[in-house]
Amino acid sequence: MPASALAARQTPDALLNLQAMDEALASTEPYPHLLVPNLLSPGAFDRLSVDYPSIKVTGFVTLDDETSTPTFAALEQELKGPELTERLSRKFGRDMHPFPRLMTVRRWSQAKEGHIHTDSQRKVMTMLIYLNADWHDSSGGRLRVLYDGRNFDPYALEVPPLNGSAFAFPRSDKSWHGHLPFTGERRVVQVTWLRDAEAMNRKMANNHLHQKLKRFFGLLTSPS
């Protein structure tokens, strides 16, 4: 699809500024990845902050009728739309359109999260969008692009978890990443391109099960 046609399909009230992705440079070291300093349109951060889902469990969750909000429903449409996928396909040189997409949202983190990993083989590509107004922790909670599965240092890139910062990468056996321990509110939206419909169904089922278990056992981190 021509770039001009992609631009024309963006509506004036779009939450994502896809031109920022066009202008961002992808890296191949130590594995292919893309950092977009601010993927949000003007005013989008305030809209998303005001309408952020009231999530009380830790980890990434799928939004349902009870937790979703109008702004995040609109964001989900944009993240799953062909325009974003087309741009990422061009950046990484692989057609990502055939793969189903899943959006999950995080609000709270535990210290035990963030271990070094490469993502499940069910995943083809992942993009994270951070929605924190500021970040006072000097190291904890900052995702790092890593060289192996054992060491947080040295690292190739540290991603600031600030408003609108986006980080995307195709999954591979060496796509090592993680962050140092952090406990508290850490707002992140994740969109994942999954291998096939079976992988999507399994991922959604696992997410729903984990959410129910956390609610049942009272694994809450928010004060209310």
Side-chain angles (χ1 to χ4, degrees):
M1 184 182 299
S4 58
L6 288 170
R9 295 186 63 175
Q10 284 192 258
T11 60
D13 59 347
L15 293 160
L16 301 180
N17 174 19
L18 297 181
Q19 184 176 349
M21 180 169 287
D22 292 337
E23 296 168 353
L25 296 177
S27 175
T28 59
E29 295 297 330
Y31 54 84
H33 63 269
L34 176 71
L35 175 63
V36 185
N38 186 5
L39 187 59
L40 299 181
S41 299
F45 176 73
D46 292 337
R47 292 165 58 193
L48 291 164
S49 296
V50 168
D51 213 21
Y52 206 90
S54 179
I55 299 168
K56 296 185 177 181
V57 298
T58 59
F60 283 103
V61 305
T62 51
L63 299 181
D64 53 27
D65 292 339
E66 294 182 6
T67 54
S68 188
T69 65
T71 309
F72 272 74
L75 177 64
E76 184 168 14
Q77 280 194 317
E78 291 187 42
L79 290 175
K80 292 182 177 180
E83 293 86 357
L84 175 66
T85 295
E86 176 65 19
R87 283 169 163 85
L88 288 168
S89 297
R90 291 182 178 183
K91 288 292 184 182
F92 295 123
R94 181 180 181 184
D95 183 7
M96 298 291 178
H97 288 286
F99 302 110
R101 290 142 236 176
L102 175 67
M103 186 184 89
T104 53
V105 181
R106 172 192 291 275
R107 186 160 189 163
W108 303 99
S109 289
Q110 300 180 83
K112 68 178 183 180
E113 297 170 325
H115 64 279
I116 301 174
H117 63 289
T118 62
D119 280 357
S120 158
Q121 291 188 4
R122 291 195 298 268
K123 295 184 178 182
V124 178
M125 181 171 63
T126 297
M127 186 176 76
L128 301 164
I129 305 174
Y130 295 92
L131 295 171
N132 304 286
D134 50 46
W135 198 258
H136 300 297
D137 195 299
S138 60
S139 57
R142 296 172 181 263
L143 184 142
R144 291 180 177 179
V145 174
L146 301 170
Y147 293 96
D148 57 49
R150 300 178 302 278
N151 303 296
F152 277 105
D153 289 293
Y155 55 88
L157 175 70
E158 188 174 68
V159 181
L162 295 171
N163 49 355
S165 295
F167 178 73
F169 62 97
R171 189 267 167 200
S172 73
D173 290 338
K174 64 175 186 176
S175 58
W176 300 106
H177 61 283
H179 62 77
L180 295 176
F182 175 81
T183 300
E185 189 167 17
R186 182 172 177 267
R187 297 184 174 193
V188 194
V189 174
Q190 176 180 250
V191 57
T192 307
W193 287 253
L194 292 152
R195 189 179 62 239
D196 51 33
E198 180 182 357
M200 167 72 84
N201 293 336
R202 183 175 297 181
K203 180 67 174 174
M204 292 184 67
N206 288 343
N207 282 358
H208 290 151
L209 175 61
H210 291 159
Q211 287 168 223
K212 288 181 180 179
L213 290 174
K214 287 176 181 179
R215 292 191 184 104
F216 181 80
F217 288 107
L219 298 180
L220 309 182
T221 59
S222 65
S224 58

